[in-house]
Amino acid sequence: MNTMDVYASRSPLRRTAPGFKILWAVIPLLICIGFGSFSVSFLTIAVMIYCTVLRGGTPWKTYLHFLRIPAGFICIGAIVILVVRRENMESLLIGVQIGTGYFGISRISLLQSMALICKAMAGVCCMYFLTFTTPMNGLLHTFRQIHCPVVLIELMELIYRFIFVLSGEAGRMHTAQSVRLGYIGFRRALHSTGGLAALLLLRALRRGDRVYTALEARCYTGILPYLRQEYTKIRAGAVWGLILFCCLLIGLGILEKQVLGNLFSI
Amino acid sequence: MNLLEIRHVNYQYETGGQALQDLSLTFEKGKTTVLLGANGAGKSTLFLNILGILHPQSGEIRFDGQPCGTSRKEMTALRSRIGLVFQDPDDQIFSADVRQDIAFGPLNLGLSQEETRKRVEQAARQTGVYELLDRPVQALSFGQKKRVAIAGVLAMRPELIILDEPTAGLDPAGVSGIMELLSDIKKEAGTTIAIATHDIDLVPLYCDYAYVLSHGQAICAGTPEEIFAQPALLRAHGLRLPRIAHLMEILEEKDHMDVRRVSTIGGARREIKRLFS
């Protein structure tokens, strides 16, 4: 299983304007969060999955694999909202008495947690569309266009590159410790982790020094220069598609609020 | 004509150890010069001194007949004419994708976007990484990263390319690939090449001149034939003869056969055929 940006670098959509893809991901995301309704979330999920898997070239297996982790977190978070405390058993669908109160699931908490799951998954699908179709360089290109501070962009680029280097090193160090039984037992595991963290920091500092030397050797001027990338022009059809999609979402959201609005009130 | 001259350079680390002691070397234009030495001999420190990243306490470094200045402008001019490829490509490649990294050098030199694009593609084709231009760097193998690092230096079109252990960590195909690439660069552009290595078997095949370094001093210098005529000196400083030359040495000294001390497979083949005919 490769990392997401490897799929992005192979995606058929990698050459489309990253600014447009950001709009395509972020505007529906905001609408979803704003309404928090089921139909808006479902439509968003459906459209994003279509765009990521069928148009964006991400394999199904990979996409589902990557959805698992956020799904896990979201479900755990939803459980917190699902279980409520009430003074009596009346409003609870199922529940138990613990101490002076009753803990259980009420109709409202059930609907709220389901709506939250849908909303959050829709948000994840929006961001996954962006991540699976846009290489890092594309995102940085857009940030430059909107005149984000250059220091931040350079930091993003360097952090992105060296996360992989450092995580690779950390992985190897962990393996080297494990095969020497460094993680048997809690105390030993803590000790080994501490050693790993300290050494990783030291190595990172030393590598930073060497990287700076290498930059100097190639005439570093103090700013990381940028080679402009060519991106394909956005077709008018795609823009109208986005406008239509968003109008549909807003329409569905308002409709659902009117039809089901009283479901959430008691 | 000597493109680079090191004259009586002394360099001491901040921590106190003497890294380079009264070191004098020359690098002839258009030739491949190799610096042989065990680990810790001072090869990498010498390179950093040449590029002006470290400054020698005494001695002089002359490039193309002119002494190397220490002002920012002079050092930038020098670094545009001398390229250094570091041993670990992960130290050198810093960018989000391969194309941006190769473009770093030319853009720093002030070249236009168009010209940079041309140079990036040319350097990528020369080093065989053209198909990798849009890939993220972490998806590359070690050998591919080494080639990208070389491409990044090539794109600046330096007159002298210094490579610190270019073949370390590469598989045999990778080793011969890199050395063939360097030969092609030398042939096509007349670039002077300097290599630091302890892969002694490469020396008779690819190198015109050799220095043996030990503890910051130049122990001996000469063509590969001249260096390999002193096996005891090499062994005393943590090095050895190429395998073929070692074989010839044993045949001559232990078996008393009349062989010349050749260092390449082609030379050994000739000697064997000569013995049998």
Side-chain angles (χ1 to χ4, degrees):
Chain A
M1 196 65 62
N2 291 312
T3 48
M4 286 191 238
D5 53 338
V6 175
Y7 293 104
S9 69
R10 294 189 211 153
S11 166
L13 290 180
R14 69 185 185 276
R15 285 253 166 261
T16 46
F20 185 66
K21 279 185 284 188
I22 289 179
L23 288 176
W24 187 272
V26 170
I27 298 180
L29 172 72
L30 293 173
I31 297 175
C32 257
I33 294 177
F35 280 106
S37 73
F38 291 98
S39 55
V40 175
S41 306
F42 286 148
L43 181 61
T44 308
I45 292 176
V47 172
M48 289 303 161
I49 289 183
Y50 168 76
C51 291
T52 313
V53 180
L54 284 113
R55 299 300 296 277
T58 312
W60 269 113
K61 264 185 77 178
T62 308
Y63 190 70
L64 290 172
H65 172 86
F66 275 105
L67 271 185
R68 276 194 329 214
I69 297 177
F73 275 111
I74 289 168
C75 288
I76 292 175
I79 288 177
V80 173
I81 300 189
L82 192 63
V83 178
V84 288
R85 182 187 182 282
R86 292 272 182 269
E87 294 302 322
N88 50 40
M89 264 304 281
E90 268 182 31
S91 48
L92 294 177
L93 293 172
I94 56 168
V96 290
Q97 182 180 16
I98 302 177
T100 56
Y102 292 83
F103 291 86
I105 303 174
S106 77
R107 195 172 59 115
I108 298 180
S109 76
L110 184 64
L111 284 170
Q112 280 180 335
S113 63
M114 286 191 340
L116 177 68
I117 291 178
C118 292
K119 184 165 70 168
M121 286 310 291
V124 168
C125 289
C126 287
M127 293 320 290
Y128 272 5
F129 165 71
L130 194 58
T131 345
F132 275 112
T133 60
T134 314
M136 187 63 175
N137 211 33
L139 293 176
L140 296 176
H141 172 91
T142 310
F143 293 147
R144 271 177 218 265
Q145 279 184 320
I146 62 174
H147 300 295
C148 185
V150 172
V151 159
L152 286 181
I153 297 175
E154 293 186 2
L155 271 176
M156 277 189 256
E157 184 167 20
L158 290 172
I159 291 173
Y160 168 76
R161 161 78 183 114
F162 287 104
I163 280 181
F164 297 100
V165 176
L166 290 176
S167 71
E169 274 194 47
R172 286 190 294 273
M173 283 162 67
H174 181 91
T175 305
Q177 289 174 317
S178 302
V179 299
R180 286 182 293 165
L181 312 177
Y183 289 93
I184 312 285
F186 186 64
R187 275 194 68 208
R188 213 176 302 177
L190 277 184
H191 185 84
S192 300
T193 309
L196 191 155
L199 190 58
L200 196 63
L201 176 65
L202 194 60
R203 284 203 190 169
L205 289 174
R206 287 200 191 129
R207 183 181 287 279
D209 223 16
R210 293 198 298 272
V211 171
Y212 185 73
T213 303
L215 289 180
E216 283 270 294
R218 282 201 282 169
C219 305
Y220 179 47
T221 55
I223 315 174
L224 295 181
Y226 178 64
L227 184 69
R228 266 195 301 275
Q229 291 281 64
E230 305 290 319
Y231 292 104
T232 53
K233 280 190 65 117
I234 317 152
R235 294 169 309 158
V239 179
W240 281 113
L242 177 62
I243 295 176
L244 182 68
F245 178 40
C246 294
C247 289
L248 209 62
L249 287 178
I250 295 175
L252 271 177
I254 296 175
L255 197 67
E256 185 172 314
K257 236 191 175 56
Q258 288 191 334
V259 168
L260 302 174
N262 45 9
L263 271 183
F264 286 93
S265 60
I266 263 249
Chain B
M1 179 243 160
N2 288 325
L3 188 61
L4 179 67
E5 287 179 53
I6 318 287
R7 292 184 183 175
H8 303 291
V9 157
N10 278 289
Y11 180 76
Q12 198 182 47
Y13 290 119
E14 277 159 12
T15 48
Q18 191 74 19
L20 303 174
Q21 289 185 47
D22 196 34
L23 193 60
S24 296
L25 312 169
T26 56
F27 294 84
E28 200 183 322
K29 189 171 174 140
K31 301 272 190 242
T32 304
T33 308
V34 64
L35 298 181
L36 294 166
N39 294 322
K43 310 188 287 278
S44 304
T45 312
L46 173 63
F47 296 152
L48 296 180
N49 272 285
I50 292 171
L51 279 182
I53 294 175
L54 300 174
H55 298 287
Q57 274 81 33
S58 65
E60 195 190 23
I61 300 178
R62 300 178 75 92
F63 182 73
D64 203 12
Q66 305 293 323
C68 297
T70 48
S71 76
R72 189 88 198 147
K73 219 174 124 200
E74 284 167 309
M75 285 209 287
T76 306
L78 186 70
R79 290 167 191 171
S80 65
R81 300 172 73 186
I82 306 181
L84 175 56
V85 179
F86 289 76
Q87 186 173 348
D88 186 356
D90 278 328
D91 288 342
Q92 191 160 347
I93 307 175
F94 69 92
S95 192
D97 65 37
V98 171
R99 194 189 298 264
Q100 286 294 331
D101 193 80
I102 301 178
F104 179 67
L107 287 173
N108 281 338
L109 296 178
L111 298 177
S112 69
Q113 296 271 328
E114 250 329 289
E115 177 65 24
T116 303
R117 228 178 287 275
K118 269 195 285 204
R119 288 215 185 172
V120 166
E121 297 197 357
Q122 189 189 15
R125 276 189 215 278
Q126 247 184 319
T127 51
V129 296
Y130 187 72
E131 294 76 34
L132 306 176
L133 276 176
D134 289 317
R135 294 253 193 105
V137 178
Q138 60 273 9
L140 302 178
S141 72
F142 183 74
Q144 288 169 328
K145 278 193 262 194
K146 268 240 141 106
R147 285 171 181 267
V148 170
I150 294 178
V153 167
L154 266 186
M156 295 170 76
R157 305 229 177 119
E159 292 162 53
L160 166 66
I161 299 184
I162 307 176
L163 298 107
D164 200 347
E165 307 271 2
T167 58
L170 292 175
D171 55 32
V175 170
S176 53
I178 293 275
M179 297 312 294
E180 291 295 327
L181 170 64
L182 293 176
S183 298
D184 289 339
I185 293 169
K186 198 171 79 168
K187 239 186 300 189
E188 280 167 35
T191 314
T192 309
I193 311 269
I195 306 178
T197 188
H198 41 66
D199 190 348
I200 203 104
D201 293 291
L202 292 178
V203 175
L205 292 171
Y206 297 105
C207 304
D208 302 308
Y209 204 75
Y211 286 96
V212 177
L213 264 61
S214 179
H215 300 294
Q217 292 175 301
I219 303 299
C220 68
T223 62
E225 291 76 43
E226 291 164 12
I227 299 274
F228 298 140
Q230 308 173 65
L233 190 66
L234 288 172
R235 287 173 185 134
H237 293 284
L239 297 168
R240 59 167 175 82
L241 287 176
R243 299 286 181 214
I244 304 285
H246 191 195
L247 173 65
M248 293 295 143
E249 186 195 17
I250 295 175
L251 286 177
E252 194 182 357
E253 291 184 0
K254 298 247 174 76
D255 301 317
H256 308 293
M257 296 170 90
D258 177 29
V259 286
R260 279 193 287 269
R261 301 278 192 96
V262 288
S263 329
T264 60
I265 293 178
R269 185 176 170 216
R270 277 192 295 274
E271 287 300 298
I272 290 174
K273 283 160 87 172
R274 188 176 64 83
L275 284 174
F276 280 121
S277 64

